[in-house]
Amino acid sequence: SGTMLLRKPIRFSALLRSHNAMPASSASSMAGSRHFSTGLKEASVCLDWIPNTNHSGIYAAIHEGFLEDEGIELTVIPPDSNASLTPGRKASRGMATFAISSSESAISFATSRTDSNRLVAVAALLQGSTSSICTLQSSGIDRPAKLDNARYASYDGRFEDAIVKQMVLNDGGNGNVKFHSLEDHGYADEETMKSSSVVSSFLKSGASDSTWIFTHWEGILAERDGTKLNFFSLEDYGIPYGYSPVLLTSEEIIGKDPEMISSVLKGLEKGYKFCAENPYRAAEILHEQACRYPHLSDLALLEASQLKIGDKYLTGDFDEDGGDWGRMEHVRWEKWVEFLFQHGIITDRNGEVLKKDSIEDVTKLFTNEFLP
């Protein structure tokens, strides 16, 4: 199948500069500055995890020239072992133009110190429900209520533990989960980064009992190495989970260069539509990153994951004309924020529960206006 792919490896590798090669100070100026030799506008995106099929559309948009067609040179910044700052914080501090994270990141920055640069979700990378809490089938923890007194490996998202606790309560448990933190959100754990899965590094090794995963990524990884998992979907236990992952940018960049955001989203839309229509080619493009990321060397794994995730890239029933990429519905944001406030999950950094009026308007958390 490699012969089918029109390869542009020189440009591709040039645009995927490593995080370490790029001084942090340069990234803030990257938003909107033009590359001296190509005339392309420079932008950067900070990934939430090491490259996987959530990101396929980004890699395809670079590889197939869709971003270049829009006048954009996009640098991908994957997390590394020194990534103590989350993607959201990097974008907020001007160290990256865009960040990939969950919708909770936008909520977190909206309810943080007023001096922090707020983040706005400008596109949903995936539609529908894509993540779950998982346990090993061999553990006997076959429902959330049984997570009482069990260990949970936490990425330390600001609201993460409270959401998991609420899921356990909704299933009739007491919510007495033993939360323990992954070092630097999991980025500093060598085994986790190598395998790209906490299932492998913590659950299989007996270091924890449960964690939060993308079913189409860590779930497929586990399936392929014969690890049997239980999956607890949040929606099945009364949690109207928000969009995840989403593409975020700062209010500052929205004010400074809205045209650049529109150009990036136009290129990414083409990239994600390409992946929805061409899952095997999408897998091959991701596979090209295997020299830097050994977990991408298993092409069959990438193909299985692409096939599982393919109908989540676009809205509606996917057909010849496809659905829309990136679009977010107000009602989903509204329900999610309402739920978090209702259960006292939204707290300030000191743990004080915040009232609903701390977010005066859900529409400030996200926008569809830059989508094609």
Side-chain angles (χ1 to χ4, degrees):
S1 57
T3 51
M4 291 163 48
L5 198 56
L6 176 62
R7 297 195 181 279
K8 301 168 183 169
I10 296 166
R11 182 180 69 211
F12 195 36
S13 57
L15 296 189
L16 295 168
R17 296 192 291 263
S18 79
H19 179 197
N20 298 337
M22 189 183 65
S25 59
S26 72
S28 55
S29 60
M30 284 175 69
S33 66
R34 291 197 179 271
H35 192 276
F36 67 92
S37 61
T38 62
L40 298 174
K41 205 172 248 199
E42 295 185 316
S44 58
V45 59
C46 195
L47 302 187
D48 53 334
W49 200 242
I50 44 182
N52 60 69
T53 48
N54 286 350
H55 313 131
S56 296
I58 298 169
Y59 285 94
I62 295 169
H63 187 277
E64 296 298 303
F66 299 142
L67 283 159
E68 195 176 277
D69 291 347
E70 300 302 328
I72 297 292
E73 177 172 324
L74 186 68
T75 300
V76 174
I77 308 173
D80 58 30
S81 56
N82 305 315
S84 55
L85 287 180
T86 61
R89 283 180 185 240
K90 285 179 182 169
S92 176
R93 294 179 186 194
M95 294 161 70
T97 324
F98 298 96
I100 295 174
S101 190
S102 62
S103 49
E104 294 94 288
S105 274
I107 298 165
S108 179
F109 277 88
T111 53
S112 288
R113 304 176 302 280
T114 48
D115 62 337
S116 72
N117 189 2
R118 291 184 175 196
L119 297 180
V120 178
V122 291
L125 264 56
L126 304 176
Q127 300 290 330
S129 168
T130 56
S131 68
S132 53
I133 310 304
C134 76
T135 61
L136 298 181
Q137 283 187 13
S138 57
S139 70
I141 302 170
D142 56 7
R143 56 183 298 172
K146 291 188 183 177
L147 286 171
D148 275 335
N149 304 312
R151 297 163 299 174
Y152 172 87
S154 173
Y155 304 90
D156 280 348
R158 185 165 151 207
F159 311 128
E160 177 186 357
D161 297 357
I163 292 165
V164 174
K165 181 179 177 179
Q166 190 60 51
M167 186 186 204
V168 173
L169 290 168
N170 287 358
D171 192 38
N174 297 317
N176 299 327
V177 183
K178 294 175 181 167
F179 295 103
H180 62 98
S181 298
L182 297 163
E183 196 180 344
D184 284 345
H185 318 285
Y187 303 144
D189 184 72
E190 196 181 331
E191 187 52 44
T192 301
M193 290 291 97
K194 202 167 90 182
S195 63
S196 89
S197 172
V198 174
V199 172
S200 179
S201 55
F202 278 78
L203 271 58
K204 281 171 67 180
S205 66
S208 193
D209 302 305
S210 59
T211 195
W212 197 322
I213 65 166
F214 282 106
T215 318
H216 55 266
W217 182 248
E218 291 97 333
I220 295 282
L221 279 168
E223 193 179 290
R224 286 189 56 77
D225 73 13
T227 305
K228 291 186 164 53
L229 297 177
N230 296 314
F231 302 103
F232 311 140
S233 163
L234 284 87
E235 293 79 5
D236 288 347
Y237 294 94
I239 296 177
Y241 193 52
Y243 289 97
S244 182
V246 292
L247 188 70
L248 300 149
T249 193
S250 65
E251 287 184 337
E252 186 187 344
I253 287 183
I254 287 174
K256 211 189 290 182
D257 202 346
E259 293 82 6
M260 177 271 298
I261 300 172
S262 297
S263 299
V264 169
L265 295 191
K266 210 179 235 183
L268 291 182
E269 183 206 37
K270 289 176 187 167
Y272 276 94
K273 285 193 167 179
F274 174 90
C275 293
E277 289 160 16
N278 306 283
Y280 293 101
R281 291 178 70 186
E284 287 197 339
I285 290 170
L286 208 49
H287 184 59
E288 286 199 359
Q289 295 299 305
C291 52
R292 286 181 64 197
Y293 303 102
H295 70 283
L296 298 178
S297 58
D298 181 353
L299 184 58
L301 159 76
L302 300 181
E303 290 173 350
S305 182
Q306 286 294 164
L307 291 170
K308 179 128 177 126
I309 197 181
D311 65 349
K312 301 288 188 189
Y313 287 143
L314 308 174
T315 59
D317 297 324
F318 180 63
D319 55 33
E320 196 71 25
D321 302 321
D324 292 324
W325 174 77
R327 208 154 293 285
M328 296 170 283
E329 290 185 13
H330 183 274
V331 66
R332 184 168 175 183
W333 275 93
E334 188 71 60
K335 279 182 180 171
W336 181 219
V337 171
E338 180 66 46
F339 173 88
L340 293 171
F341 276 117
Q342 189 187 336
H343 293 280
I345 290 172
I346 297 183
T347 59
D348 64 17
R349 298 271 174 201
N350 303 318
E352 293 291 317
V353 173
L354 295 174
K355 295 194 165 60
K356 187 154 196 293
D357 59 9
S358 57
I359 292 183
E360 66 269 28
D361 187 358
V362 170
T363 56
K364 293 195 170 166
L365 300 175
F366 80 101
T367 180
N368 290 316
E369 71 173 297
F370 302 110
L371 291 166

